[in-house]
C-alpha cells in the first residue's frame, strides 16, 4: 500500500492525475482549531505551476474543498477530508505511454505492479500532482506547529549544480529548456523552534520519519541531515557539536548534527537537504520498448514540460517536514 | 515509540547496552523454513569488533539464543525471538555522562525525552550495540531473500574522504586514532536479483522503506539512491535510463535510478549509499554542560573507542536493506 | 483516532451526518477488478430507510460517487475513494442537543472528547449514517470474496425479544412506535465458503478482527461466535465439534465453534450474532442535563425516528464481516 | 500476524507452550515508573493453576525475568521485555496430536495455516500459557492505571450455567471432572474510575478495543457491554440511561450502557462480560481424523486437564481490559 503516513495523525492521500478528484483525509487533529483556509490556498499556490520564471507558465487552480471534519470552520475531531477536483482532464493524451513507458517515469513499474491495469494518464497515482493533497496536509500541520512556535522553511539550495546565484540558476533552466532537456537540484529545509525531545529511538527517529515522508515526493533521490554526506569526510572533533549553556538552556556551539542526536531533536534548528533528479519528461528522443511486443523502440514525450521541478518542490518539502514533525510532536504529548 | 519496523513482517528490537539482554522478535515469517543458525552467527561476527584492522581489537561473543518461534529447527509460524545476553556489563562506567552529556551522542536528547530516567550506560537503547539484533533479523531476511534469488551486498565506498584504496583508508583511521580522533565514511549497498514490482506508491516506496530502516543505524546522516545527490547536477537526458529488451525482458541501459522508479523496483540492481558520521566518542577534550547545575564544563570520553564505525556498519546496512526488501517482497505476494 | 480499519487492506471512513459529504478510502485492493457499481448501490439500498415496514418511511438516495481508484471502470491499484454527498443537511435542527445531551447517544461523550467542538448535527461522525461508507467498502469486499467462492449473509434473528416470526416482530416494532418508544434486536451472520487457515493467533484471530469491525456499527453492544454465551453453559463433550473426513476434506460434525478454532477458520461456516440496543431516540421525555449550567433538565427528542435499527443493520453487519474476512484473506495470500 | 496489540503502547507476545521461553515486549511506557515486581508476580499467581478448588492442582512457577527496559528498577523509556522460562517442557507428549487434531483445540487450524510446521506441543503459540505474558503486560498497565485512580476488577459471574453460589459452581466443576468432562462460564469485569472521553469513534471505540484484546484469550466466544445481549430485549425507554448532575459532575442514573456511549467512556463504570467455552481437553473419547491418511479415527486426550478455565481466566480478562484501557488513556493524553 503506501498512501498513508503517520503514527499520531494519519494522513491518507488519494487520487490520480486524471481521476475526478485528488485529495486527502487527515485524522487525529485536535478539535477546535480554526483553520486558515486562505493560508492553505496561498501555500498550495506556491506549488502551482506558473509562479516562477524557473517553471512552466501553465496555470492550475488547486482549490481544496473540505467535505468533512469541520464544524463552523473549526476542526471538530472527525477526520478532515479535502478534495481538489481535477478540471482539466485529458486521459487520451497518455494512451501511448501505456505500452511504451517513458524513461525515468513510473509507467513501467506501475505496469508491472498493477498487471497492466494502472491508470497511466498523467502518471496516475504516481503523478507529481499528488503532492497537492500532501501540501494541504502540510499547510495544516504548519499552522498547528506555528501555534507552538515551530516554523518550517525550505529554499532552493542548488539547481543544475549551481548554488546561490538565482540569475545563474534561471539561466541553467532556460538553457536546458531550450535544448529540450531538464535539470534537477537541491532543496534545503530548516525547522526552527522545535523543542528538544521529539522523535523516538531506532526506527522512530526524526531522520527515519522525515525521510519516510520526503521520499513520497516524486523525483527525490537523496536526503541528508545536518552535515549529511559531508560528515563522512569530517573528523569527530570537527563534526561533534559541543554543548554550552546559553540563556538558561542547553544549546550546541555548532549544528553539524542538524538538530538531531540519536534520532531525537536537541532543540537546535532541524536542518536537512533533499536531492531532486532532473524532470524525466524531456523533448529529446529516448530509448524505450513496446511492452506488448517486447521490442525496442524510441519515445518522444510530447506536451509542455516543466524543465525543473525544484521551485515547485520547495513547499512540498516543507509539507512533508511539517507532517513528520507535527506527528512526532503529538507523540511527545503522550509522554508529558 | 519506534523500536518496531515492518508492514508484512514485524520486527521489534529491545534491549539496552547494559541490560541483561538485547534481542528481537520477528513476526510474520513463513513457517517451515530451516534457519541456518551458523550463517546468522557468521553474519553477526562481521559486525563484531576486532575483525578488521580498521576497528577496535575488543572482542564480544554475540551469540543469539532463540527462545521462541522454532520447532525442530524450523520456523513454526509463531513469533521468532532471539536474545543476546549482555555478559560484560559495567553500568557504573557511564555514571558521569548522565549529568554531563557526550557531544554527538544521544545522552542529552535521551535525558530530555525520558526526563532523566533514561538508561545512560553505554548509550542504553541508543547504543550501536542494538544493531546486533537488527543483524539477526537481517540475516534471517537475507536467507529468505536468497531462496528467491535476491542477494544483498554492501561494501565500504569511502572512509575519511578516501575512496577505493584500502591501504589509504587504513592509514586515515590509524592517523585519526593516534590523534585521539575519529573518521566517518560511506557504505554502498546493492540488492541484486529483485523482481520488478516491489514497493508501493508515495509513502510506501522502496526509498521510503529503506530509508526508514537504515536511519535506525546510529551515526547515519544521509542516504541516496542511484545517482542520488549527483542526479541533482545531471541533465534529464543524462540521468534518465533508456529501456531496452534483453534476454526477453525489459531492462534499462544504465542504472542512474538505482533500480527504483516511482518508488517501485524496476528489476535492475537496487543501489544506495549511506553516509556515516565519524564516531562521536573521541579522546580529545570537548565542551559539555552539567545538566543539574546548568553550567559549562568539559568532558573527556574515556575507554577504548572505535575510531571508525564504518567497517562494522557494513553488515548493518545489509541487514536494514534485507529487512526492507523482504517486507516489500511479502507485500507483493498479496498482489499476485 | 479510530476511523481506520485493516491490516492488508486499509479502510478510512470520513464524514459527519451533516457535513458536505461522507465517504471512504479503500487501499490495497487488487488491480484489474471490474466493480459492479449497480450491486454496490443495491447493497446500499438495503440499509436505506423506508425499505421495510419495520423501519421509518423517510427516503435517502445514497449514491456513491467514485472520485479515484478506477480506470475504465476497473480498480487501478490506487486508493479507491467514494463520496456520498449529503443533500438534505439541516444542521440547525440539532443545535439544542449541543448543550442538552440525548440519553443513549454520543452527544455527551463527544462533547467531553472534543471539548465542545464536536459536530453535533445528527450525531456528527458518530451518526448511523457513517455506516453508508462502511457498506460501500463491504459491498466491494463481498464482490471480491464472492469471486473466491465466499459468501456473507446476515439475517434478523430477533427483534424486541421475539425470534423467528416476522409478523410478531413487526407488531413489536409497531407497538413500540405507537408508544413513542423503540426496540432492539439480534442479527446473525454466516460466512460460507471460507477456506481453513484465515486469521492469526492471539490478537489477530477472526473473532478479534470481526469484533473490531462490527463494534464500529452504532448501537452494537455484544457479539458472540458459534454457541457464544450459550457455550458457557455447555459441557466440553457437548460443545466440542468432532472431526470427520467428508468428500476428501476435514469437516466438523457440528459447528458449535462457529467455524473458528484458535482464532483461525476451520473451513466450516463462520457464524456470529450481534446484539443491537434499542434506538436511543425516543419520543418520550427523558432526563438530561444542561452542560453549560450543570443543572438537571428533561429532553424530548423530536423528529421522525426509526423505532428499530435492526432491519437496516443487517447489511451493515454483512459489510463489517466482509471487510474483516477479506482483510484476513489477503493476509493469508502472503503465506502461500 | 496478530501477536501485537496497541496504538499508543505496543505489546508483542511471543513464545510457545514448550519453547525455551514465553514472554512479551511492551513499548511506549512512560519513563521513571517504579514497577512493583511483587505485585506483578502476585497477579501472575492468580492465573497459575492450583489456586482454586475449581482448577487443577498442577503447579507452575511463572516468574517473569525482566531483561530490558528497566534502569535502577524504573522504566527507562526503552522497550520493556519480560521472559518466563518454560522449565517443564515435554514436547514429545503432544506428538500424536500433530496428525490427529484434538476437537476444540487449534491443532487442526494451526496445521492448515502453517502447512504442517506448527509447534503442536501443548498447543504451541495457541496455548493458554500465552496468557501469562498477557498478564505481565496487564499487571503493569493496572499499576499505571491505578496511579490515575482507575481500577480493573473481574469476577466469576457464572460457571456451568450457575450464577452466584460458589458452592454450587464448585459442585458443577467437580461433577464435570468426575465425568471426564468440562464446563465453561462467564467472567464479568468492571473498570472503575475511568474519566469520560476515552476511546475514539468507529473502529477505535472502547468496545472495539476491549473486544480486540479479550478475544486473544483462548476459549473466549462472546463479549457484551453493559446490558449487552439483554439490551436487544429492552425498550429504548428502559435501556437509555438518563443524565443527572451529581457532585458537580454529569452522571447517568443507570448504567445499561456499561459506561460507553458512541464508543467513548462516559465516566460511569465500564462493565463487560466475557463468555468462555468449556475446556476442550476432556477425558472422553472424541471423533477426530488422521490428517496424513485423511481417515476417521477417535482420540482420547490424556494428561491432567483443567475441567474449567474460568477461575484462572479472571486475571486474564483484567489484563486484557487494563491493556485496552491504558492504551486508550495514553491516546487521550495526546488530545489534551
Amino acid at each position: 500500500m503506501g498512501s498513508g503516513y503517520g503514527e499520531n495523525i494519519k494522513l491518507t492521500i488519494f487520487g490520480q492525475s486524471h481521476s475526478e478528484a485528488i485529495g486527502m483525509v487527515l485524522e487525529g487533529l485536535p478539535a477546535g482549531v480554526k483553520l486558515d483556509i486562505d493560508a492553505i490556498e496561498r501555500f498550495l499556490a506556491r506549488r502551482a505551476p506558473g509562479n516562477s520564471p524557473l517553471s512552466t507558465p501553465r496555470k492550475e487552480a488547486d482549490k481544496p474543498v473540505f467535505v468533512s471534519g469541520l464544524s463552523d470552520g473549526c476542526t471538530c475531531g472527525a477526520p478532515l477530508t479535502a478534495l481538489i477536483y481535477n478540471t482539466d482532464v485529458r486521459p487520451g493524451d497518455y494512451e501511448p505511454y501505456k505500452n511504451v513507458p517513458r524513461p525515468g517515469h513510473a509507467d513501467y513499474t506501475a505496469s508491472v505492479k498493477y498487471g497492466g491495469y494502472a491508470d497511466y494518464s498523467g502518471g496516475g497515482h504516481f503523478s507529481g500532482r499528488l503532492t497537492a493533497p500532501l501540501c494541504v496536509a502540510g499547510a495544516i500541520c504548519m499552522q498547528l506547529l506555528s501555534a507552538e512556535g515551530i516554523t518550517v522553511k525550505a529554499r532552493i539550495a542548488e539547481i543544475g549544480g549551481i548554488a546561490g546565484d538565482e540569475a545563474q540558476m534561471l539561466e541553467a533552466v532556460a538553457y536546458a529548456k531550450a535544448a529540450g532537456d531538464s535539470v534537477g537540484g537541491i532543496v534545503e529545509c530548516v525547522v526552527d523552534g522545535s523543542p528538544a525531545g521529539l522523535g523516538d529511538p531506532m526506527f522512530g527517529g526524526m531522520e527515519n520519519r522525515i525521510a519516510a515522508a520526503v521520499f513520497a515526493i516524486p523525483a527525490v533521490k537523496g536526503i541528508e541531515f545536518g552535515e549529511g554526506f559531508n560528515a563522512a569526510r569530517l573528523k569527530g572533533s570537527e563534526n561533534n557539536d559541543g554543548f554550552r549553556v546559553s540563556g538558561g538552556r542547553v544549546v550546541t556551539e555548532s549544528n553539524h548534527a542538524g538538530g538531531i542526536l540519536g534520532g531525537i531533536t536537541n532543540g537546535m534548528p532541524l536542518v536537512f537537504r533533499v536531492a531532486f533528479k532532473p524532470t524525466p519528461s524531456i523533448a529529446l528522443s529516448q530509448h524505450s520498448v513496446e511492452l506488448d511486443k517486447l521490442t525496442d523502440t524510441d519515445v518522444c514525450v510530447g506536451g509542455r514540460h516543466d524543465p525543473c521541478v525544484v521551485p515547485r518542490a520547495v513547499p512540498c518539502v516543507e509539507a512533508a517536514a511539517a507532517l513528520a514533525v507535527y506527528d512526532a510532536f503529538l507523540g511527545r504529548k503522550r509522554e508529558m
Side-chain angles (χ1 to χ4, degrees), chain A residues 5-312:
Chain A
Y5 181 88
E7 196 174 277
N8 301 295
I9 42 170
K10 303 250 187 232
L11 171 66
T12 303
I13 288 181
F14 56 85
Q16 301 113 255
S17 187
H18 289 211
S19 61
E20 187 171 335
I22 57 176
M24 56 117 244
V25 187
L26 190 53
E27 201 185 350
L29 295 177
V33 175
K34 184 106 198 152
L35 291 188
D36 182 341
I37 305 289
D38 282 352
I40 296 170
E41 293 185 5
R42 282 196 305 274
F43 188 76
L44 274 173
R46 287 175 55 204
R47 77 161 279 292
N51 287 314
S52 153
L54 299 181
S55 70
T56 166
R58 184 162 43 105
K59 272 281 182 196
E60 288 168 12
D62 284 342
K63 204 176 162 58
V65 178
F66 291 89
V67 299
S68 80
L70 296 179
S71 182
D72 295 330
C74 284
T75 56
C76 67
L80 185 78
T81 307
L83 267 75
I84 298 171
Y85 291 96
N86 284 325
T87 47
D88 183 18
V89 173
R90 285 173 296 182
D93 284 14
Y94 292 83
E95 197 58 36
Y97 309 130
K98 183 166 177 170
N99 191 40
V100 181
R102 294 167 296 169
H105 279 283
D107 299 342
Y108 172 63
T109 52
S111 163
V112 171
K113 184 169 177 68
Y114 301 121
Y117 291 100
D119 181 347
Y120 298 88
S121 306
H125 189 54
F126 294 89
S127 166
R129 190 152 168 63
L130 271 289
T131 56
L134 173 65
C135 282
V136 174
I140 292 166
C141 291
M142 284 173 81
Q143 292 183 19
L144 290 156
L145 287 172
S146 174
E148 309 286 344
I150 304 170
T151 59
V152 180
K153 192 82 201 113
R155 63 173 190 89
I156 300 173
E158 208 178 302
I159 279 187
I162 294 154
D165 182 326
E166 196 176 339
Q168 281 188 299
M169 289 180 189
L170 272 170
E171 203 177 340
V173 176
Y175 186 86
K177 189 180 181 176
D181 214 333
S182 63
V183 285
I186 294 173
V187 172
E188 181 172 280
C189 185
V190 178
V191 181
D192 242 313
S194 165
L198 305 192
D200 291 279
M202 301 212 73
F203 303 104
M206 288 314 300
E207 289 111 334
N208 312 57
R209 290 163 177 270
I210 291 173
V214 162
F215 279 111
I217 306 169
V220 173
K221 295 304 279 186
I223 189 166
E224 59 178 9
F225 294 83
E227 287 290 334
F229 277 85
N230 191 44
R233 288 140 199 162
L234 296 178
K235 296 277 193 318
S237 58
E238 296 164 328
N239 188 62
N240 282 352
D241 303 305
F243 291 108
R244 288 287 100 172
V245 173
S246 170
R249 55 187 280 267
V250 176
V251 298
T252 60
E253 296 170 308
S254 49
N255 189 18
H256 302 294
I260 306 174
L261 286 172
I264 295 174
T265 56
N266 64 6
M268 300 302 290
L270 201 162
V271 184
F272 65 94
R273 266 171 310 282
V274 182
F276 286 84
K277 69 178 185 184
T279 321
S281 290
I282 56 176
L284 304 169
S285 173
Q286 297 179 84
H287 286 177
S288 186
V289 293
E290 295 189 59
L291 291 175
D292 56 353
K293 301 187 201 148
L294 271 185
T295 54
D296 291 349
T297 188
D298 286 346
V299 66
C300 278
V301 182
R304 294 165 303 178
H305 308 123
D306 212 331
C308 182
V309 298
V310 176
R312 296 177 60 196

